[in-house]
Amino acid sequence: MSSDPAVGWLLHPQLAQDTVRVGDLALCRVLLINDANYPWLLLVPRRPDIGEIMELTAADQSQLMGEIMQVSRVLKAITVCDKLNIAALGNVVPQLHVHVIARSKGDAAWPKPVWGAVPPRAYDQTTQRQLIGLLREQLPLIAAD
Amino acid sequence: MSSDPAVGWLLHPQLAQDTVRVGDLALCRVLLINDANYPWLLLVPRRPDIGEIMELTAADQSQLMGEIMQVSRVLKAITVCDKLNIAALGNVVPQLHVHVIARSKGDAAWPKPVWGAVPPRAYDQTTQRQLIGLLREQLPLIAAD
């Protein structure tokens, strides 16, 4: 038995496939979606068997809001975007994951939501490495790899 | 001068046009979108000149998360839906508003996000009145009209 609430948590394989790992905040794993159309992050609470925010404990809900705000501020500062889009949908991948997306007027889907709007466009390695470097510098990560 | 943080707040006319008012929680106005395809609520913090969650005070951010959870639980209990979709987008209407949508397998857009998926379908008056009645019964509203 363990009191670590992260025990039993594994990242859903579909989320692993679509993303690169930025690192871990106290509650959430932070992932960068491999789509250069928009700087697009996912926050995944490291808690097993959670599909809805309301299934988290009240303390974790509060921590999640705090981490969404931390990621929002850093993403806004790095990208100088026009709008943040924040969403927990999960109709396809049942593991709770929160999208935080930097939207700019004139981006590939603007002003529509990003889901299904245009095919993803893979990052070139340099751009992706730079973005991840900036995120790792500015987020209070407890682990990055 | 007033210390009431709601002073100067007015509901954006586009949000008013698309919705029926359910009532007010401590922070947010709760609105029902007039689209019978999905039970679809909006939470609008009664704070002027706010476009992003991160522009709210920390206390209001915490209150917002609490109200999203209250609305989530009530909407799930009333609709017995398969999934909640929660989102703050705001690419078109700049006033901060949070969508809380009850999604069911086989609904008009499933499993896609609802925005732009199918044309809205107006409620018949009886169904709308019943849904609003249930919401008003179960939400801790401070005002309803």
Side-chain angles (χ1 to χ4, degrees):
Chain A
M1 295 258 307
S2 164
S3 62
D4 180 349
V7 164
W9 179 82
L10 277 175
L11 183 63
H12 191 286
Q14 185 68 52
L15 300 182
Q17 186 182 309
D18 298 341
T19 66
V20 178
R21 181 174 172 177
V22 177
D24 284 354
L25 294 167
L27 174 63
C28 294
R29 178 149 304 168
V30 183
L31 304 163
L32 175 69
I33 295 231
N34 189 17
D35 183 352
N37 285 308
Y38 343 81
W40 181 350
L41 299 174
L42 294 184
L43 275 73
V44 186
R46 297 191 307 283
R47 298 287 182 262
D49 304 320
I50 299 287
E52 301 279 6
I53 298 174
M54 67 179 179
E55 296 167 3
L56 293 169
T57 64
D60 280 351
Q61 288 167 9
S62 169
Q63 181 68 26
L64 175 62
M65 178 58 106
E67 295 187 3
I68 293 170
M69 294 302 99
Q70 288 176 320
V71 167
S72 295
R73 282 188 204 100
V74 167
L75 197 59
K76 172 87 183 176
I78 291 174
T79 64
V80 199
C81 61
D82 294 308
K83 190 69 192 72
L84 292 164
N85 287 178
I86 299 172
L89 304 179
N91 303 337
V92 178
V93 174
Q95 182 175 67
L96 175 60
H97 56 286
V98 179
H99 303 261
V100 183
I101 311 159
R103 302 299 307 276
S104 295
K105 289 169 188 172
D107 71 26
W110 186 265
K112 288 187 294 187
V114 298
W115 301 277
V118 299
R121 184 165 60 84
Y123 278 101
D124 68 79
Q125 260 202 341
T126 307
T127 307
Q128 189 183 60
R129 203 176 297 131
Q130 281 176 342
L131 179 53
I132 289 178
L134 287 168
L135 290 164
R136 287 183 177 164
E137 257 174 48
Q138 297 185 36
L139 284 171
L141 299 173
I142 58 169
D145 58 27
Chain B
M1 296 259 305
S2 164
S3 62
D4 180 349
V7 163
W9 179 82
L10 277 175
L11 184 63
H12 190 285
Q14 185 67 53
L15 300 182
Q17 187 182 308
D18 298 341
T19 65
V20 179
R21 180 171 171 179
V22 177
D24 285 353
L25 294 167
L27 174 63
C28 294
R29 178 147 305 167
V30 182
L31 304 162
L32 175 69
I33 296 230
N34 189 18
D35 183 352
N37 285 308
Y38 344 81
W40 180 350
L41 299 174
L42 294 183
L43 275 73
V44 187
R46 297 190 307 284
R47 298 287 183 262
D49 304 321
I50 298 286
E52 300 279 6
I53 299 173
M54 67 179 180
E55 295 166 3
L56 293 169
T57 64
D60 280 350
Q61 288 167 10
S62 169
Q63 181 67 26
L64 176 61
M65 178 58 106
E67 295 188 4
I68 293 169
M69 293 303 98
Q70 289 176 318
V71 167
S72 295
R73 281 187 205 101
V74 167
L75 198 58
K76 172 87 183 176
I78 291 174
T79 65
V80 199
C81 60
D82 293 309
K83 190 69 193 71
L84 292 164
N85 287 178
I86 300 172
L89 305 178
N91 304 337
V92 178
V93 174
Q95 181 174 66
L96 176 60
H97 56 287
V98 179
H99 304 261
V100 182
I101 311 158
R103 302 298 309 275
S104 295
K105 289 170 189 172
D107 71 26
W110 186 266
K112 289 187 295 187
V114 297
W115 301 276
V118 298
R121 185 164 60 83
Y123 279 99
D124 68 79
Q125 259 202 342
T126 307
T127 306
Q128 190 182 61
R129 203 176 299 132
Q130 282 175 341
L131 179 52
I132 289 178
L134 287 168
L135 290 164
R136 286 183 176 164
E137 259 173 47
Q138 297 186 36
L139 284 171
L141 300 173
I142 59 169
D145 60 27

